[in-house]
Amino acid sequence: MQFCDECGSMMKTEGDKWVCGSCGHETIRDEAKEAAMVTTQGQEQSEIIDVSDAEDTGLPTTNAQCPSCDNDRAYWYMQQIRSADESETRFFVCTECEHKWREDDH
């Protein structure tokens, strides 16, 4: 992929030139430079790994009493669920039974 030196737009190939679709600027194609470019056809397919059942959710944990199973550890995160001038709501997810509850700032 080549970008225009004049306006920064993406350029297209037309024969032996790169041509900017926005401003019309043209440059001569350089085969050595193009060989080093990575294309979507040249990229390898990556393996998708399912981590939905993984124990680590990536969320921080804290001491919090689960109202469902009395476990004392929970993952937590903050989310804005009301208008922007209201404080965020803190959500907890039990590390044992995965029960979810919230704690509003008052």
Side-chain angles (χ1 to χ4, degrees):
M1 184 178 304
Q2 181 77 19
F3 292 95
C4 180
D5 292 332
E6 299 295 317
C7 71
S9 295
M10 190 167 54
M11 299 179 84
K12 299 176 187 172
T13 57
E14 288 185 8
D16 62 343
K17 297 177 185 175
W18 285 98
V19 180
C20 177
S22 296
C23 72
H25 178 73
E26 296 180 358
T27 58
I28 301 297
R29 291 176 66 179
D30 181 352
E31 287 184 34
K33 189 175 177 183
E34 288 180 32
M37 292 180 182
V38 177
T39 64
T40 54
Q41 290 86 11
Q43 294 175 348
E44 293 182 20
Q45 195 98 15
S46 62
E47 181 181 355
I48 298 173
I49 299 171
D50 181 15
V51 293
S52 59
D53 293 331
E55 193 171 309
D56 184 15
T57 64
L59 296 173
T61 60
T62 188
N63 291 328
Q65 195 73 32
C66 174
S68 180
C69 73
D70 289 330
N71 179 38
D72 64 349
R73 295 295 292 168
Y75 301 109
W76 67 273
Y77 62 95
M78 304 284 279
Q79 187 171 3
Q80 186 74 39
I81 59 172
R82 296 171 290 203
S83 62
D85 62 340
E86 299 287 332
S87 62
E88 293 179 311
T89 302
R90 187 175 16 238
F91 287 91
F92 296 96
V93 181
C94 178
T95 58
E96 291 293 320
C97 71
E98 297 184 8
H99 175 73
K100 185 187 235 184
W101 73 99
R102 71 184 196 182
E103 175 184 274
D104 296 323
D105 279 341
H106 296 287

XYZ file of all heavy atoms in Angstrom:
838
model
N 0.855 -1.164 0.000
C 0.000 0.000 0.000
C 0.904 1.231 0.000
O 1.889 1.300 0.706
C -0.886 -0.013 1.248
C -1.874 1.123 1.259
S -2.988 1.100 2.686
C -3.704 -0.498 2.576
N 0.569 2.162 -0.787
C 1.345 3.396 -0.916
C 0.429 4.571 -0.591
O -0.735 4.591 -0.968
C 1.871 3.512 -2.360
C 2.710 4.699 -2.656
C 4.131 4.551 -2.111
O 4.581 3.467 -1.826
N 4.802 5.649 -1.962
N 0.984 5.561 0.108
C 0.228 6.762 0.439
C 0.829 7.958 -0.278
O 2.043 8.043 -0.479
C 0.208 7.001 1.948
C -0.584 5.961 2.680
C 0.053 4.866 3.237
C -1.955 6.062 2.786
C -0.668 3.889 3.902
C -2.684 5.094 3.452
C -2.044 3.999 4.006
N -0.008 8.876 -0.668
C 0.388 10.054 -1.426
C 1.265 10.984 -0.591
O 0.930 11.306 0.550
C -0.869 10.795 -1.888
S -0.532 12.288 -2.844
N 2.379 11.419 -1.180
C 3.276 12.363 -0.510
C 2.665 13.760 -0.423
O 3.052 14.559 0.421
C 4.615 12.458 -1.250
C 5.407 11.165 -1.147
O 5.240 10.438 -0.149
O 6.192 10.874 -2.064
N 1.710 14.056 -1.294
C 1.109 15.392 -1.340
C -0.049 15.564 -0.351
O -0.106 16.535 0.379
C 0.611 15.694 -2.763
C 1.698 15.684 -3.820
C 2.720 16.788 -3.608
O 2.313 17.925 -3.301
O 3.924 16.501 -3.744
N -0.987 14.593 -0.361
C -2.190 14.767 0.470
C -2.395 13.662 1.498
O -3.270 13.768 2.346
C -3.431 14.894 -0.411
S -3.908 13.354 -1.225
N -1.620 12.562 1.442
C -1.728 11.490 2.418
C -2.777 10.438 2.114
O -2.944 9.499 2.879
N -3.490 10.579 0.995
C -4.519 9.598 0.644
C -3.880 8.313 0.125
O -2.737 8.303 -0.313
C -5.433 10.155 -0.452
O -6.150 11.267 0.025
N -4.638 7.228 0.160
C -4.153 5.963 -0.359
C -4.087 6.022 -1.884
O -5.001 6.533 -2.534
C -5.083 4.834 0.076
C -4.533 3.472 -0.202
S -5.429 2.130 0.617
C -7.096 2.416 0.098
N -2.985 5.497 -2.440
C -2.788 5.526 -3.893
C -3.139 4.172 -4.502
O -3.146 3.154 -3.817
C -1.345 5.903 -4.206
C -0.971 7.284 -3.692
S 0.733 7.705 -4.029
C 0.591 8.321 -5.700
N -3.440 4.174 -5.803
C -3.769 2.964 -6.559
C -2.729 2.782 -7.653
O -2.132 3.742 -8.119
C -5.162 3.099 -7.197
C -6.259 3.287 -6.194
C -7.575 3.501 -6.895
C -8.641 3.864 -5.860
N -9.885 4.273 -6.483
N -2.550 1.521 -8.050
C -1.604 1.263 -9.138
C -2.305 1.402 -10.471
O -3.443 0.975 -10.645
C -1.003 -0.153 -9.036
O -2.053 -1.107 -9.032
C -0.175 -0.306 -7.787
N -1.623 2.052 -11.404
C -2.085 2.157 -12.791
C -0.863 1.945 -13.672
O -0.080 2.859 -13.885
C -2.726 3.524 -13.057
C -4.075 3.702 -12.403
C -4.742 5.023 -12.771
O -4.237 5.748 -13.649
O -5.764 5.334 -12.144
N -0.703 0.688 -14.118
C 0.462 0.375 -14.946
C 1.737 0.453 -14.137
O 1.882 -0.214 -13.114
N 2.677 1.299 -14.582
C 3.957 1.423 -13.886
C 3.989 2.608 -12.927
O 5.054 3.059 -12.521
C 5.094 1.531 -14.905
C 4.981 2.767 -15.785
O 3.890 3.368 -15.848
O 5.997 3.143 -16.400
N 2.798 3.125 -12.538
C 2.727 4.292 -11.659
C 1.788 4.035 -10.487
O 0.873 3.227 -10.573
C 2.184 5.508 -12.421
C 3.040 5.978 -13.554
C 2.360 7.138 -14.257
C 3.167 7.544 -15.476
N 2.492 8.589 -16.252
N 2.028 4.763 -9.405
C 1.092 4.894 -8.301
C 0.359 6.212 -8.525
O 0.987 7.230 -8.752
C 1.810 4.968 -6.953
C 2.347 3.656 -6.461
C 3.625 3.209 -6.583
C 1.633 2.641 -5.770
N 3.755 1.982 -6.003
C 2.542 1.609 -5.485
C 0.315 2.497 -5.349
C 2.163 0.448 -4.813
C -0.043 1.349 -4.676
C 0.858 0.341 -4.418
N -0.979 6.191 -8.489
C -1.766 7.387 -8.747
C -2.710 7.638 -7.562
O -3.422 6.747 -7.117
C -2.589 7.255 -10.056
C -3.411 8.503 -10.309
C -1.690 6.949 -11.235
N -2.688 8.882 -7.081
C -3.561 9.275 -5.982
C -4.952 9.561 -6.535
O -5.115 10.363 -7.465
C -3.011 10.516 -5.277
S -4.091 11.105 -3.944
N -5.977 8.928 -5.945
C -7.349 9.145 -6.382
C -7.917 10.481 -5.934
O -8.899 10.962 -6.481
N -7.284 11.105 -4.917
C -7.785 12.374 -4.403
C -7.219 13.582 -5.134
O -7.953 14.436 -5.593
C -7.476 12.505 -2.910
O -8.162 11.523 -2.191
N -5.871 13.646 -5.217
C -5.262 14.846 -5.800
C -4.611 14.596 -7.156
O -4.181 15.541 -7.818
C -4.235 15.453 -4.837
S -2.712 14.500 -4.667
N -4.521 13.320 -7.600
C -3.954 13.012 -8.909
C -2.442 12.908 -8.942
O -1.866 12.664 -9.997
N -1.762 13.072 -7.821
C -0.303 12.972 -7.764
C 0.141 11.590 -8.239
O -0.489 10.589 -7.927
C 0.175 13.235 -6.336
C 1.651 13.098 -6.157
N 2.541 14.022 -6.646
C 2.389 12.133 -5.558
C 3.772 13.632 -6.343
N 3.702 12.488 -5.679
N 1.225 11.527 -9.015
C 1.731 10.259 -9.537
C 3.185 10.056 -9.142
O 3.952 11.012 -9.072
C 1.645 10.242 -11.069
C 0.241 10.320 -11.604
C 0.202 10.294 -13.131
O 1.277 10.257 -13.775
O -0.908 10.298 -13.680
N 3.543 8.780 -8.852
C 4.938 8.407 -8.621
C 5.208 7.101 -9.346
O 4.297 6.292 -9.559
C 5.271 8.219 -7.119
O 4.405 7.226 -6.580
C 5.117 9.504 -6.341
N 6.444 6.885 -9.737
C 6.840 5.662 -10.423
C 6.900 4.519 -9.411
O 7.372 4.692 -8.293
C 8.236 5.843 -11.096
C 8.196 7.004 -12.090
C 8.688 4.564 -11.765
C 7.254 6.793 -13.260
N 6.433 3.333 -9.819
C 6.453 2.158 -8.954
C 7.870 1.633 -8.798
O 8.649 1.635 -9.733
C 5.554 1.070 -9.525
C 4.079 1.452 -9.455
C 3.191 0.438 -10.099
N 3.218 -0.824 -9.355
C 2.513 -1.887 -9.699
N 1.733 -1.850 -10.766
N 2.581 -2.987 -8.999
N 8.206 1.182 -7.591
C 9.511 0.618 -7.275
C 9.311 -0.850 -6.895
O 8.783 -1.156 -5.830
C 10.135 1.405 -6.118
C 11.518 0.918 -5.727
O 11.965 -0.128 -6.245
O 12.142 1.586 -4.888
N 9.747 -1.785 -7.788
C 9.509 -3.215 -7.567
C 10.140 -3.716 -6.267
O 9.548 -4.520 -5.557
C 10.039 -4.027 -8.745
C 9.192 -3.889 -9.989
C 9.687 -4.786 -11.118
O 10.182 -5.891 -10.836
O 9.563 -4.367 -12.272
N 11.343 -3.260 -5.947
C 12.015 -3.706 -4.723
C 11.241 -3.265 -3.483
O 11.078 -4.030 -2.526
C 13.437 -3.166 -4.678
N 10.749 -2.037 -3.501
C 9.983 -1.513 -2.374
C 8.648 -2.261 -2.239
O 8.217 -2.588 -1.150
C 9.748 -0.013 -2.581
C 9.156 0.695 -1.396
C 9.068 2.191 -1.662
C 8.409 2.927 -0.537
N 8.271 4.357 -0.821
N 8.002 -2.550 -3.376
C 6.722 -3.256 -3.351
C 6.870 -4.699 -2.886
O 5.977 -5.245 -2.247
C 6.070 -3.213 -4.730
C 5.548 -1.845 -5.081
C 4.901 -1.803 -6.454
O 4.319 -2.812 -6.889
O 4.975 -0.741 -7.095
N 8.001 -5.337 -3.174
C 8.228 -6.720 -2.749
C 8.288 -6.816 -1.227
O 7.943 -7.845 -0.639
C 9.507 -7.251 -3.369
N 8.714 -5.738 -0.573
C 8.801 -5.731 0.887
C 7.467 -5.424 1.557
O 7.324 -5.590 2.762
C 9.843 -4.704 1.331
N 6.477 -4.978 0.793
C 5.168 -4.649 1.359
C 4.427 -5.923 1.749
O 4.520 -6.934 1.076
C 4.318 -3.872 0.352
C 4.817 -2.498 0.050
S 3.715 -1.716 -1.162
C 4.523 -0.165 -1.384
N 3.682 -5.864 2.848
C 2.871 -6.987 3.289
C 1.468 -6.796 2.734
O 0.865 -5.743 2.898
C 2.819 -7.058 4.834
C 1.905 -8.183 5.290
C 4.213 -7.226 5.392
N 0.962 -7.818 2.087
C -0.386 -7.750 1.536
C -1.302 -8.675 2.327
O -0.836 -9.570 3.034
C -0.405 -8.178 0.053
O -0.025 -9.562 -0.018
C 0.544 -7.339 -0.776
N -2.590 -8.499 2.182
C -3.527 -9.380 2.877
C -3.422 -10.798 2.337
O -3.656 -11.753 3.058
C -4.972 -8.877 2.743
O -5.287 -8.708 1.371
C -5.161 -7.585 3.498
N -3.038 -10.967 1.070
C -2.859 -12.302 0.513
C -1.626 -12.975 1.119
O -1.558 -14.178 1.236
C -2.691 -12.262 -1.013
C -3.940 -11.880 -1.763
C -4.106 -10.371 -1.907
O -3.196 -9.598 -1.621
N -5.276 -9.946 -2.335
N -0.632 -12.189 1.529
C 0.605 -12.732 2.069
C 0.559 -12.993 3.561
O 1.484 -13.587 4.106
N -0.493 -12.593 4.220
C -0.584 -12.803 5.661
C -1.090 -14.204 5.945
O -1.964 -14.714 5.269
C -1.517 -11.777 6.300
C -0.996 -10.367 6.209
C -2.004 -9.356 6.739
O -3.157 -9.677 6.966
N -1.555 -8.137 6.919
N -0.498 -14.828 6.966
C -0.918 -16.170 7.342
C -2.226 -16.119 8.121
O -2.504 -15.161 8.809
C 0.148 -16.825 8.213
C 1.434 -17.114 7.482
C 2.432 -17.805 8.377
O 2.029 -18.395 9.402
O 3.616 -17.763 8.049
N -2.995 -17.179 7.997
C -4.236 -17.317 8.753
C -3.862 -17.654 10.186
O -3.050 -18.533 10.432
C -5.077 -18.449 8.163
C -6.490 -18.454 8.628
C -7.405 -17.798 7.629
O -7.038 -17.593 6.503
N -8.601 -17.471 8.041
N -4.412 -16.965 11.163
C -4.100 -17.264 12.548
C -5.159 -18.185 13.132
O -6.306 -18.187 12.703
C -4.000 -15.979 13.367
O -5.236 -15.315 13.360
N -4.750 -18.949 14.123
C -5.657 -19.870 14.776
C -6.466 -19.129 15.827
O -5.923 -18.349 16.600
C -4.856 -20.988 15.438
C -5.710 -22.007 16.135
C -4.883 -23.091 16.808
O -3.656 -23.095 16.661
O -5.491 -23.921 17.498
N -7.765 -19.363 15.871
C -8.637 -18.746 16.861
C -8.750 -19.699 18.038
O -9.096 -20.865 17.882
C -10.029 -18.439 16.273
C -9.890 -17.444 15.136
C -10.967 -17.929 17.357
C -11.162 -17.204 14.369
N -8.435 -19.193 19.217
C -8.464 -20.017 20.424
C -9.634 -19.573 21.291
O -9.752 -18.398 21.625
C -7.143 -19.883 21.203
C -5.987 -20.350 20.326
C -7.200 -20.671 22.500
C -4.633 -20.068 20.902
N -10.476 -20.526 21.659
C -11.634 -20.236 22.506
C -11.196 -20.206 23.967
O -10.752 -21.207 24.503
C -12.711 -21.289 22.304
C -13.954 -21.036 23.144
O -14.104 -19.907 23.654
O -14.780 -21.960 23.263
N -11.287 -19.033 24.583
C -10.918 -18.904 25.988
C -12.129 -18.587 26.854
O -11.990 -18.161 27.992
C -9.823 -17.821 26.188
C -8.530 -18.241 25.561
C -10.290 -16.480 25.698
N -13.327 -18.823 26.343
C -14.544 -18.481 27.088
C -14.674 -19.290 28.376
O -15.281 -18.839 29.335
C -15.780 -18.675 26.213
O -15.863 -20.015 25.771
N -14.111 -20.498 28.413
C -14.184 -21.315 29.619
C -12.953 -21.151 30.505
O -12.814 -21.854 31.497
C -14.341 -22.793 29.245
C -15.682 -23.069 28.580
O -16.645 -22.335 28.882
O -15.760 -23.996 27.760
N -12.075 -20.232 30.139
C -10.855 -20.034 30.925
C -11.194 -19.450 32.284
O -12.132 -18.675 32.432
C -9.896 -19.116 30.183
N -10.401 -19.831 33.288
C -10.657 -19.362 34.648
C -10.378 -17.874 34.794
O -11.070 -17.158 35.502
C -9.796 -20.161 35.619
C -10.200 -19.986 37.053
C -9.464 -20.951 37.947
O -9.456 -22.146 37.651
O -8.899 -20.477 38.942
N -9.347 -17.369 34.126
C -8.962 -15.960 34.253
C -9.772 -15.120 33.275
O -9.673 -15.281 32.075
C -7.477 -15.796 33.974
C -7.003 -14.377 34.186
O -7.742 -13.593 34.822
O -5.907 -14.055 33.712
N -10.580 -14.203 33.796
C -11.413 -13.360 32.940
C -10.700 -12.098 32.499
O -11.190 -11.378 31.656
C -12.704 -12.931 33.671
O -12.344 -12.114 34.779
C -13.508 -14.123 34.119
N -9.544 -11.816 33.101
C -8.844 -10.581 32.787
C -9.342 -9.404 33.601
O -8.816 -8.311 33.503
N -10.355 -9.621 34.420
C -10.890 -8.565 35.281
C -10.170 -8.597 36.622
O -9.745 -9.655 37.087
C -12.392 -8.760 35.497
C -13.284 -8.647 34.275
C -14.716 -9.024 34.634
C -13.239 -7.251 33.704
N -10.049 -7.442 37.278
C -9.438 -7.430 38.604
C -10.365 -8.080 39.626
O -11.574 -8.143 39.434
C -9.265 -5.938 38.886
C -10.265 -5.253 38.029
C -10.418 -6.110 36.807
N -9.777 -8.579 40.708
C -10.591 -9.181 41.769
C -10.490 -8.330 43.031
O -9.566 -7.539 43.195
C -10.125 -10.618 42.095
O -8.772 -10.575 42.514
C -10.298 -11.540 40.916
N -11.463 -8.516 43.898
C -11.497 -7.785 45.162
C -12.198 -8.638 46.210
O -12.835 -9.652 45.882
C -12.227 -6.436 45.002
O -12.073 -5.673 46.199
C -13.703 -6.613 44.698
N -12.104 -8.230 47.469
C -12.857 -8.883 48.537
C -14.285 -8.355 48.495
O -14.516 -7.168 48.697
C -12.243 -8.583 49.903
C -10.906 -9.250 50.087
O -10.680 -10.326 49.554
N -10.027 -8.614 50.826
N -15.227 -9.223 48.202
C -16.643 -8.856 48.174
C -17.452 -10.111 48.464
O -17.172 -11.172 47.910
C -17.033 -8.285 46.814
N -18.433 -9.996 49.328
C -19.248 -11.129 49.746
C -20.341 -11.398 48.713
O -21.186 -10.535 48.449
C -19.875 -10.840 51.109
C -20.444 -12.033 51.816
C -19.352 -12.939 52.359
O -18.286 -12.460 52.742
N -19.622 -14.220 52.379
N -20.340 -12.582 48.135
C -21.365 -12.955 47.150
C -22.687 -13.201 47.867
O -22.741 -14.001 48.807
C -20.942 -14.205 46.388
S -22.218 -14.847 45.284
N -23.769 -12.549 47.453
C -25.069 -12.758 48.110
C -25.673 -14.130 47.811
O -26.580 -14.574 48.497
C -25.947 -11.642 47.540
C -25.285 -11.209 46.282
C -23.830 -11.518 46.413
N -25.131 -14.836 46.826
C -25.680 -16.128 46.451
C -25.007 -17.305 47.163
O -25.671 -18.192 47.677
C -25.569 -16.306 44.940
O -26.092 -17.537 44.530
N -23.644 -17.300 47.223
C -22.945 -18.461 47.785
C -22.014 -18.116 48.950
O -21.324 -18.994 49.459
C -22.148 -19.176 46.692
S -20.657 -18.310 46.152
N -21.966 -16.857 49.350
C -21.126 -16.383 50.462
C -19.624 -16.468 50.194
O -18.824 -16.363 51.117
C -21.455 -17.102 51.780
C -22.802 -16.681 52.325
O -23.198 -15.519 52.073
O -23.472 -17.503 52.979
N -19.220 -16.666 48.951
C -17.802 -16.608 48.594
C -17.317 -15.183 48.847
O -18.082 -14.224 48.722
C -17.621 -16.992 47.119
C -16.178 -16.932 46.666
O -15.274 -17.287 47.411
N -15.978 -16.475 45.449
N -16.035 -15.014 49.210
C -15.552 -13.670 49.554
C -14.666 -13.024 48.489
O -14.040 -12.004 48.749
C -14.809 -13.713 50.899
C -13.546 -14.563 50.833
O -13.356 -15.282 49.833
O -12.765 -14.510 51.788
N -14.609 -13.585 47.274
C -13.831 -12.986 46.174
C -14.741 -12.777 44.968
O -15.603 -13.615 44.665
C -12.671 -13.878 45.739
C -11.584 -14.100 46.758
C -10.818 -12.865 47.133
N -10.011 -12.355 46.044
C -9.429 -11.173 46.045
N -9.563 -10.371 47.074
N -8.719 -10.767 45.026
N -14.528 -11.652 44.269
C -15.336 -11.359 43.086
C -14.523 -10.552 42.088
O -13.639 -9.782 42.460
C -16.591 -10.580 43.466
N -14.795 -10.777 40.818
C -14.265 -9.909 39.769
C -15.108 -8.642 39.800
O -16.272 -8.673 40.192
C -14.404 -10.564 38.386
C -13.690 -11.886 38.261
C -14.405 -13.072 38.179
C -12.300 -11.945 38.221
C -13.753 -14.293 38.051
C -11.640 -13.154 38.101
C -12.375 -14.325 38.018
O -11.717 -15.509 37.902
N -14.548 -7.519 39.363
C -15.331 -6.292 39.343
C -14.997 -5.465 38.105
O -13.928 -5.591 37.527
C -15.123 -5.464 40.600
C -13.741 -4.900 40.753
C -12.671 -5.508 41.320
C -13.290 -3.619 40.305
N -11.581 -4.692 41.259
C -11.933 -3.529 40.644
C -13.903 -2.545 39.653
C -11.170 -2.397 40.350
C -13.140 -1.433 39.367
C -11.804 -1.358 39.709
N -15.964 -4.638 37.685
C -15.771 -3.682 36.603
C -16.769 -2.546 36.788
O -17.752 -2.683 37.497
C -15.909 -4.330 35.225
C -17.275 -4.927 34.927
C -18.234 -4.196 34.231
C -17.594 -6.221 35.328
C -19.472 -4.741 33.952
C -18.828 -6.768 35.057
C -19.761 -6.025 34.362
O -21.002 -6.562 34.096
N -16.459 -1.412 36.159
C -17.316 -0.226 36.247
C -17.979 -0.016 34.883
O -17.356 -0.240 33.844
C -16.501 1.009 36.597
C -15.683 0.884 37.865
S -16.666 1.035 39.329
C -16.811 2.794 39.435
N -19.230 0.442 34.914
C -19.942 0.712 33.664
C -20.875 1.898 33.854
O -21.554 2.009 34.884
C -20.740 -0.525 33.250
C -21.364 -0.395 31.890
C -21.969 -1.717 31.431
O -21.969 -2.709 32.148
N -22.490 -1.716 30.236
N -20.920 2.763 32.861
C -21.837 3.911 32.883
C -23.184 3.439 32.361
O -23.315 3.112 31.189
C -21.283 5.031 31.983
C -22.069 6.317 32.041
C -21.830 7.064 33.346
O -20.719 7.097 33.835
N -22.865 7.642 33.892
N -24.187 3.377 33.229
C -25.501 2.897 32.786
C -26.579 3.973 32.860
O -27.655 3.804 32.326
C -25.963 1.654 33.580
C -26.054 1.955 35.062
C -25.051 0.478 33.301
C -26.684 0.837 35.876
N -26.265 5.076 33.520
C -27.212 6.187 33.617
C -26.686 7.351 32.799
O -25.756 7.196 32.018
C -27.406 6.564 35.081
C -28.037 5.432 35.884
C -28.024 5.743 37.330
N -26.627 5.688 37.806
C -26.274 5.492 39.037
N -27.180 5.339 39.961
N -25.013 5.450 39.394
N -27.241 8.510 32.963
C -26.789 9.678 32.198
C -25.355 10.032 32.572
O -24.851 9.645 33.627
C -27.718 10.866 32.442
O -27.697 11.229 33.803
N -24.700 10.780 31.722
C -23.282 11.096 31.880
C -22.976 11.875 33.152
O -21.866 11.797 33.668
C -22.784 11.860 30.665
N -23.939 12.614 33.684
C -23.671 13.386 34.903
C -23.861 12.555 36.175
O -23.658 13.039 37.277
C -24.514 14.655 34.948
C -26.003 14.371 34.987
O -26.412 13.268 34.613
O -26.753 15.282 35.374
N -24.236 11.293 36.041
C -24.363 10.378 37.172
C -23.092 9.536 37.285
O -22.379 9.335 36.311
C -25.565 9.442 36.982
C -26.896 10.152 36.896
C -27.349 10.692 38.235
O -26.978 10.124 39.275
O -28.077 11.694 38.240
N -22.814 9.027 38.482
C -21.624 8.201 38.677
C -21.795 6.826 38.024
O -22.915 6.381 37.756
C -21.323 8.041 40.167
O -22.391 7.376 40.793
N -20.660 6.169 37.794
C -20.681 4.836 37.209
C -21.213 3.822 38.210
O -21.208 4.064 39.417
C -19.273 4.409 36.805
C -18.694 5.208 35.667
C -17.293 4.732 35.345
O -16.466 4.592 36.264
O -17.033 4.500 34.161
N -21.638 2.671 37.713
C -22.100 1.582 38.559
C -21.017 0.514 38.601
O -20.464 0.152 37.574
C -23.412 0.980 38.006
O -24.392 2.025 37.942
C -23.919 -0.147 38.871
N -20.724 0.006 39.784
C -19.718 -1.046 39.952
C -20.430 -2.394 39.926
O -21.381 -2.625 40.676
C -18.978 -0.846 41.267
C -17.827 -1.762 41.458
C -17.032 -1.471 42.718
N -17.722 -0.633 43.673
C -17.255 0.539 44.133
N -16.101 0.993 43.718
N -17.943 1.227 45.016
N -19.981 -3.287 39.044
C -20.539 -4.628 38.932
C -19.553 -5.638 39.497
O -18.336 -5.481 39.359
C -20.837 -4.976 37.472
C -22.034 -4.264 36.923
C -21.906 -3.041 36.296
C -23.294 -4.831 37.030
C -23.008 -2.378 35.795
C -24.408 -4.173 36.526
C -24.264 -2.941 35.911
N -20.085 -6.674 40.141
C -19.275 -7.755 40.676
C -19.738 -9.063 40.062
O -20.927 -9.255 39.808
C -19.439 -7.852 42.198
C -18.934 -6.649 42.931
C -19.807 -5.635 43.310
C -17.591 -6.525 43.248
C -19.346 -4.526 43.995
C -17.131 -5.413 43.928
C -18.004 -4.414 44.300
N -18.786 -9.991 39.870
C -19.093 -11.348 39.407
C -18.348 -12.299 40.328
O -17.120 -12.237 40.443
C -18.652 -11.569 37.940
C -18.999 -12.977 37.492
C -19.278 -10.538 37.021
N -19.082 -13.178 40.992
C -18.489 -14.110 41.941
C -17.482 -15.018 41.239
O -17.748 -15.536 40.155
C -19.580 -14.953 42.596
S -18.939 -16.183 43.760
N -16.318 -15.212 41.871
C -15.287 -16.087 41.290
C -15.656 -17.563 41.408
O -15.080 -18.392 40.721
C -13.921 -15.859 41.972
O -14.064 -16.098 43.371
C -13.401 -14.464 41.724
N -16.623 -17.905 42.264
C -17.036 -19.303 42.434
C -18.272 -19.651 41.605
O -18.223 -20.498 40.747
C -17.313 -19.603 43.914
C -16.084 -19.612 44.779
C -15.148 -20.765 44.445
O -15.641 -21.888 44.190
O -13.926 -20.534 44.435
N -19.383 -18.981 41.883
C -20.661 -19.357 41.239
C -21.030 -18.471 40.057
O -22.037 -18.703 39.394
C -21.792 -19.354 42.263
S -22.286 -17.692 42.824
N -20.229 -17.423 39.792
C -20.441 -16.482 38.694
C -21.732 -15.678 38.813
O -22.235 -15.139 37.827
C -20.349 -17.180 37.333
C -18.980 -17.768 37.076
C -18.829 -18.372 35.710
O -19.744 -18.218 34.866
O -17.798 -19.009 35.474
N -22.285 -15.593 40.013
C -23.438 -14.729 40.260
C -23.012 -13.276 40.040
O -21.914 -12.883 40.411
C -23.944 -14.921 41.700
C -25.046 -13.982 42.077
N -26.326 -14.113 41.586
C -25.053 -12.889 42.884
C -27.075 -13.136 42.080
N -26.330 -12.387 42.875
N -23.877 -12.484 39.437
C -23.556 -11.101 39.132
C -24.464 -10.175 39.938
O -25.658 -10.407 40.031
C -23.766 -10.837 37.640
C -23.343 -9.464 37.179
C -23.762 -9.269 35.714
C -22.606 -8.883 34.876
N -23.004 -8.596 33.494
N -23.850 -9.160 40.546
C -24.621 -8.135 41.266
C -23.946 -6.798 41.101
O -22.846 -6.710 40.603
C -24.814 -8.532 42.734
C -23.614 -8.431 43.615
C -23.308 -7.418 44.463
C -22.567 -9.387 43.772
N -22.146 -7.669 45.134
C -21.663 -8.887 44.723
C -22.282 -10.626 43.194
C -20.514 -9.557 45.111
C -21.140 -11.295 43.581
C -20.274 -10.769 44.529
N -24.650 -5.747 41.504
C -24.079 -4.408 41.342
C -24.135 -3.640 42.645
O -24.941 -3.914 43.523
C -24.770 -3.641 40.225
C -26.171 -3.224 40.551
C -26.792 -2.576 39.353
N -27.988 -1.836 39.731
C -28.744 -1.218 38.902
N -28.459 -1.224 37.606
N -29.795 -0.564 39.312
N -23.281 -2.632 42.724
C -23.227 -1.749 43.873
C -23.199 -0.320 43.338
O -22.253 0.073 42.681
C -21.960 -2.036 44.678
C -21.749 -1.088 45.828
C -20.427 -1.380 46.501
O -20.391 -2.252 47.379
O -19.427 -0.737 46.125
N -24.247 0.429 43.600
C -24.328 1.814 43.125
C -23.683 2.733 44.127
O -23.788 2.533 45.340
C -25.784 2.240 42.927
C -26.476 1.448 41.849
O -25.824 1.120 40.849
O -27.678 1.141 42.026
N -22.997 3.778 43.650
C -22.507 4.817 44.551
C -23.708 5.662 44.979
O -24.544 6.028 44.176
C -21.499 5.722 43.833
C -20.124 5.113 43.790
O -19.831 4.196 44.576
O -19.333 5.589 42.981
N -23.774 5.956 46.228
C -24.914 6.765 46.729
C -24.423 8.082 47.235
O -23.374 8.268 47.693
C -25.658 6.019 47.849
C -26.282 4.755 47.364
N -27.392 4.731 46.558
C -25.933 3.461 47.554
C -27.716 3.475 46.309
N -26.845 2.685 46.898
